[in-house]
Amino acid sequence: MISGLTVGLSGTVSYIDWTTNPQWTDVTFSARGALIYNATQGNKSCAVLDFGQTLNPSGVPFVIDLPAPGANAVIHINNP
């Protein structure tokens, strides 16, 4: 669960900013991407992430480093 978010607008680009980077400890999985959705709004999607490659973390923390809010923000994936 990702909590603590704000929604903003920069020119014609809208964005979502979370106050805490999502992190899962001791994970093992394979994934090419992820879907962030809002469970309180009928599971409507908020963001679709494409990792650009299949990630295979095994027994390690998995962190998504969210950028400062803005129209040119880039999401960073920490895959040790």
Side-chain angles (χ1 to χ4, degrees), residues 20-58:
T20 304
N21 290 333
Q23 178 173 326
W24 297 265
T25 57
D26 194 28
V27 300
T28 300
F29 64 84
S30 294
R32 168 83 187 189
L35 174 68
I36 298 174
Y37 64 92
N38 189 336
T40 66
Q41 296 295 315
N43 293 331
K44 292 180 182 175
S45 62
C46 299
V48 176
L49 307 178
D50 180 350
F51 300 149
Q53 63 182 340
T54 300
L55 302 179
N56 298 291
S58 180

Side-chain angles (χ1 to χ4, degrees), residues 14 70 76 79:
S14 59
H76 298 276
N79 182 38

